[in-house]
Amino acid sequence: MTASQNKTTAATDVSAPVSPTPLQGELYDAHLDSMLRQFSLFMLRHPSMILTFGYLLCSLLGMLFANRLFSFFDINILPYLELTDFILAALNHPWILLNVTGWLVFLVVLLGVDRYIRRHIRWYAAWSEKYYQPAQFKRYNVIVMFIPLLFLYNVAKMESANLAEKIKNNQQPKFNVSLIYPVQDGAKTLQFDQVQVIARTSSYLFIYVQQQVKVIPHANVAVIVPLAPASLVDSAENSELSPGTVKNKIDNTTTEKAKALNLEDGSGTDNAATNKKGEAIKSQ
């Protein structure tokens, strides 16, 4: 056996170091990171798409919210809406956007915590392998894409239900609405008092009065006067009653009662004198 053959045999006997096989969770993390990098590069190359996605998000949220809200009043709102009304419905209720943003942030934090635990706790990584099989990668991608839409629908559903309940229970701010031309509502009406505004579009105003929904064109609205809440009115009236005012009212009430008693005594005396005169005339 030659020296070269001996070297070759020795080289083959020495086993090369074998790198550990990556876990399926790590492969999924790498796949997700690659998708996020591609998306980030796309947004950097087309920054105007950020505004486009934001506009689409607000429009979709506004459409879901408005359609769900008016369904509680048995009204199909879509024929009354224009394209700009969708985004206005979302901007007029910013709590909905904040709620959706909060849920998305919670989802991102949850995924980050899961990745951190899998990298530092081996038994958790081994236990979670069954959820990161290659056959489920596409399923997870679809779920991640549709979760924001699910958040939008649920938030719009909850917020619209809460608003509709407040309106039906007379818990929303009230207004007096004056019209330019009268509305035939059993009788010609030029003003609606103590109304609640359900929503407004670019062309119509939707109000709730006497458990009915009125649709008024903006061109027929003369003025809308906001009314102070009943609690504020009561507190204002109570604050106006200072101790001096209360004392004056008590004194005035006492004086009026005394005058009334004097009048009753005077009338009683006159009646007695009249009776005596009548008896004297009868005796004659």
Side-chain angles (χ1 to χ4, degrees):
M1 184 177 293
T2 61
S4 61
Q5 290 177 344
N6 292 333
K7 290 181 179 180
T8 303
T9 304
T12 55
D13 293 339
V14 178
S15 59
V18 180
S19 59
T21 303
L23 298 175
Q24 296 299 329
E26 296 175 351
L27 294 177
Y28 178 77
D29 293 340
H31 176 69
L32 183 61
D33 291 341
S34 176
M35 293 180 58
L36 292 177
R37 281 194 298 268
Q38 293 177 4
F39 180 76
S40 300
L41 290 175
F42 176 80
M43 298 304 294
L44 289 175
R45 293 172 184 173
H46 306 86
S48 61
M49 296 300 295
I50 299 176
L51 296 177
T52 303
F53 284 138
Y55 183 85
L56 291 176
L57 177 66
C58 292
S59 299
L60 181 60
L61 181 59
M63 183 184 67
L64 292 174
F65 177 79
N67 188 43
R68 185 66 180 175
L69 173 63
F70 280 90
S71 67
F72 291 101
F73 300 95
D74 299 327
I75 294 179
N76 183 16
I77 189 61
L78 294 180
Y80 298 94
L81 296 179
E82 299 180 6
L83 292 177
T84 55
D85 295 328
F86 295 139
I87 190 170
L88 287 177
L91 295 179
N92 287 334
H93 301 84
W95 174 246
I96 305 176
L97 294 174
L98 294 176
N99 204 338
V100 172
T101 304
W103 278 108
L104 292 178
V105 170
F106 173 76
L107 176 63
V108 172
V109 171
L110 185 64
L111 293 177
V113 171
D114 175 71
R115 175 180 293 193
Y116 178 83
I117 295 176
R118 281 189 287 104
R119 287 182 177 179
H120 292 81
I121 301 177
R122 302 307 299 177
W123 67 265
Y124 178 81
W127 173 80
S128 61
E129 276 294 281
K130 56 185 177 181
Y131 299 106
Y132 291 98
Q133 298 299 321
Q136 298 181 355
F137 281 5
K138 294 182 179 180
R139 184 187 306 174
Y140 289 158
N141 292 337
V142 173
I143 292 175
V144 170
M145 291 176 60
F146 279 95
I147 278 179
L149 299 179
L150 184 62
F151 283 159
L152 286 177
Y153 177 77
N154 286 333
V155 171
K157 181 180 178 180
M158 291 186 298
E159 293 297 327
S160 59
N162 292 335
L163 181 58
E165 184 178 0
K166 289 181 180 179
I167 292 174
K168 291 183 178 181
N169 293 331
N170 291 324
Q171 296 177 354
Q172 286 295 101
K174 298 196 172 48
F175 303 86
N176 288 341
V177 179
S178 299
L179 306 179
I180 300 175
Y181 304 104
V183 176
Q184 189 67 32
D185 186 28
K188 290 185 177 180
T189 304
L190 274 172
Q191 180 167 329
F192 292 103
D193 298 327
Q194 300 287 330
V195 305
Q196 299 176 93
V197 176
I198 302 175
R200 66 179 183 86
T201 65
S202 56
S203 302
Y204 299 97
L205 177 69
F206 296 83
I207 61 175
Y208 187 77
V209 53
Q210 296 178 356
Q211 298 181 352
Q212 292 181 347
V213 178
K214 307 292 184 182
V215 184
I216 304 174
H218 285 311
N220 195 27
V221 177
V223 63
I224 301 176
V225 180
L227 302 179
S231 58
L232 295 179
V233 174
D234 294 339
S235 62
E237 291 178 353
N238 293 332
S239 62
E240 290 177 356
L241 295 178
S242 61
T245 306
V246 174
K247 184 178 179 181
N248 292 334
K249 286 188 174 183
I250 294 174
D251 295 340
N252 293 334
T253 304
T254 304
T255 305
E256 291 176 357
K257 289 182 178 180
K259 289 181 179 180
L261 292 174
N262 292 333
L263 290 176
E264 291 178 358
D265 294 340
S267 61
T269 304
D270 295 339
N271 291 333
T274 304
N275 293 332
K276 288 182 179 181
K277 289 181 180 180
E279 293 176 356
I281 293 173
K282 288 181 180 181
S283 62
Q284 292 176 0

